[in-house]
Amino acid sequence: MKKMSRAALVGAAAVSSVVLVSAPAFAHVSVQPEGAAAKGGYAVIDFKVPNERDDAATTKLEVSFPTDHPLASVMPEPVPGWKVEVTKSKLDKPLEMHGEKLTEAVSKVTWTATGSGADKGVRPGYFQKFPVSVGQLPTDADQLVFKALQTYDDKEVVRWIEPQQKGQEEPENPAPTLTLSAAADDEHGASGAAASDDHEKAATASSSDTSSDSDTTARVLGIVGIVVGVAGVAFGVLAGRRRTNG
């Protein structure tokens, strides 16, 4: 029994040590969409920055945007306590957006903490989200890889820049990767046609209802007219008889 107890304690210690060692691997900078990030569309994506240090705060985040699939529109959402700077670079090949050619695109977005003391940056045990509206997303890619640099107030810089290789384990410092979903139906495609058909059916039904209401109104007015006419004739007959009798 003593041997079994010792073995159990050793096993438990080994498991707990593995958990403690592997825990930091999950606390890396990541990117996730708010809703769906469909190919060819627009999306709001959140860069999630956890603080994996016990004695330092994260005070700066630099995110490099992909150059192989540049995004024409990149608009950060203001984050209280942080200053944001957007850097643009010239493109080797101009982008076309809404009928206009763009010769430059956002290549980096930098967030810097502006607070002071204990309220500055992402403190130990906390995380911060940095939302960005992006588009149009590429149609010829299944994912977008961003490279991020996380700076602490003790000047330490963690480089989250290693792309995930297919079929291999997650790297020690993985780069934030955004997975793109299938393209949504075009507004002029099948769904748009269905909506148009429904609209036409509704319009036809409305027209039929209006026509039916008009017919009903005409019939009522006709009946009222006949009744009034009969009453008028009767009144005339009575009036004539009174004159004759008088």
Side-chain angles (χ1 to χ4, degrees), residues 33-174:
E34 294 183 6
K39 298 178 181 180
Y42 289 78
V44 174
I45 59 177
D46 294 331
F47 290 98
K48 182 180 177 181
V49 182
N51 191 332
E52 56 180 9
R53 298 290 182 266
D54 297 329
D55 56 355
T58 296
T59 55
K60 188 176 183 180
L61 174 69
E62 300 173 73
V63 176
S64 295
F65 281 66
T67 56
D68 54 342
H69 292 95
L71 300 172
S73 176
V74 176
M75 294 185 293
E77 180 179 324
V79 179
W82 295 81
K83 178 184 70 175
V84 61
E85 180 182 358
V86 178
T87 303
K88 293 185 177 182
S89 300
K90 289 187 177 181
L91 298 172
D92 296 333
K93 183 179 180 181
L95 290 176
E96 194 166 319
M97 183 177 181
H98 303 304
E100 296 183 2
K101 286 188 176 181
L102 303 178
T103 58
E104 61 179 12
V106 172
S107 56
K108 185 170 67 173
V109 178
T110 303
W111 290 267
T112 306
T114 59
S116 59
D119 295 330
K120 185 175 182 179
V122 186
R123 293 176 291 163
Y126 291 83
F127 74 90
Q128 178 68 54
K129 286 184 178 180
F130 298 92
V132 183
S133 174
V134 297
Q136 288 178 297
L137 297 172
T139 57
D140 57 348
D142 295 324
Q143 62 181 23
L144 292 178
V145 178
F146 302 85
K147 295 183 178 181
L149 301 182
Q150 181 180 9
T151 302
Y152 290 88
D153 57 8
D154 61 1
K155 307 304 180 182
E156 178 188 6
V157 178
V158 182
R159 301 169 62 84
W160 305 102
I161 61 173
E162 300 178 52
Q164 174 68 53
Q165 300 297 332
K166 189 174 181 179
Q168 297 185 10
E169 295 182 359
E170 185 180 68
E172 184 177 355
N173 294 310

Side-chain angles (χ1 to χ4, degrees), residues 230-244:
V230 170
V233 171
F235 179 79
V237 170
L238 290 174
R241 288 180 180 180
R242 288 176 182 176
R243 290 175 182 176
T244 302

Side-chain angles (χ1 to χ4, degrees), residues 180-243:
L180 304 181
S181 59
D185 289 337
D186 183 23
E187 62 180 354
H188 300 296
S191 61
S196 178
D197 290 343
D198 292 342
H199 179 73
E200 289 180 4
K201 290 178 181 178
T204 302
S206 178
S207 177
S208 299
D209 292 342
T210 303
S211 177
S212 178
D213 292 342
S214 298
D215 291 343
T216 301
T217 302
R219 290 173 184 174
V220 171
L221 291 176
I223 293 172
V224 171
I226 294 173
V227 172
V228 172
V230 170
V233 171
F235 179 79
V237 170
L238 290 174
R241 288 180 180 180
R242 288 176 182 176
R243 290 175 182 176

